[in-house]
Amino acid sequence: MSALAAIFHFDGRPVAHSDVEAMLAAMASRAPDGASYWVEGAVGLGHGMLINTPEAYHERQPLSALDGRLHMVWDGRLDNRDDIRHELRLRGVSPRDDTDPELVLQLYLLQREATPERLLGDFAFIIHDRAEQTLFVARDQVGARPLHYVLTEHFIAVASTDDALMPFLADGAR
């Protein structure tokens, strides 16, 4: 399983690059194939890569929509990728590549919060919407891909493992 990390400050305070880096470092065992992150203003997303499907070799995360409105990190495996690809084609959408995160991002652009209901497989993902200033977090119904979080009145921090969130528990006003 790969590693996901996200921080979102509700008051617009900038996210420190070092906070996302520390979260990814705490999950290094889940990222033998590299880690990357994106930080812009009050939000930061991180992804630690574990390549476990042929399509994953082509993933570049965090992933951004063409217009830059949405940014996403993904951990998972789509079992109905052919159905999703077919549905996107019927709606006139041509994904940029054949990776699972790209298919899910394109589906999210069409179905928003209903997206997880259309996905089969084990997955977790986080999408930041720049225009709406929201963070959408989802995982499969069984919880095969874990997500943990710390939520305060000031921020939300989300990670694949609870140990990546320990600094946020120690400093709730982060």
Side-chain angles (χ1 to χ4, degrees):
M1 289 185 217
S2 297
L4 303 183
I7 307 169
F8 184 49
H9 290 151
F10 303 137
D11 60 4
R13 191 169 37 94
V15 167
H17 290 249
S18 59
D19 284 344
V20 180
E21 291 171 345
M23 291 173 76
L24 290 170
M27 299 182 288
S29 65
R30 296 175 70 114
D33 299 312
S36 57
Y37 65 91
W38 168 85
V39 174
E40 181 181 279
V43 67
L45 300 177
H47 183 263
M49 176 66 88
L50 171 63
I51 297 174
N52 58 2
T53 65
E55 298 82 19
Y57 280 100
H58 306 289
E59 290 178 14
R60 300 294 174 257
Q61 295 190 53
L63 178 64
S64 299
L66 278 176
D67 64 3
R69 175 179 174 164
L70 302 178
H71 295 84
M72 172 187 181
V73 287
W74 161 271
D75 174 31
R77 183 197 74 249
L78 272 180
D79 292 337
N80 63 333
R81 59 190 346 276
D82 292 338
D83 295 337
I84 300 296
R85 196 175 25 249
H86 179 71
E87 181 176 340
L88 292 172
R89 283 192 192 122
L90 288 176
R91 293 179 172 211
V93 176
S94 298
R96 296 172 286 188
D97 59 43
D98 199 35
T99 63
D100 290 352
E102 173 67 12
L103 295 174
V104 172
L105 183 64
Q106 295 303 323
L107 186 64
Y108 183 85
L109 284 165
L110 297 172
Q111 297 193 350
R112 299 295 175 174
E113 290 81 10
T115 299
E117 298 167 18
R118 292 283 300 117
L119 306 179
L120 297 178
D122 55 318
F123 61 87
F125 64 93
I126 304 167
I127 296 179
H128 173 254
D129 186 322
R130 176 186 283 154
E132 297 292 326
Q133 284 302 298
T134 58
L135 200 65
F136 183 77
V137 180
R139 67 178 194 179
D140 61 90
Q141 296 84 346
V142 177
R145 304 284 173 144
L147 283 176
H148 305 268
Y149 65 93
V150 173
L151 175 65
T152 74
E153 63 184 87
H154 303 287
F155 71 90
I156 186 169
V158 183
S160 297
T161 65
D162 58 357
D163 56 327
L165 297 171
M166 290 304 175
F168 298 96
L169 291 172
D171 181 14
R174 204 172 190 119

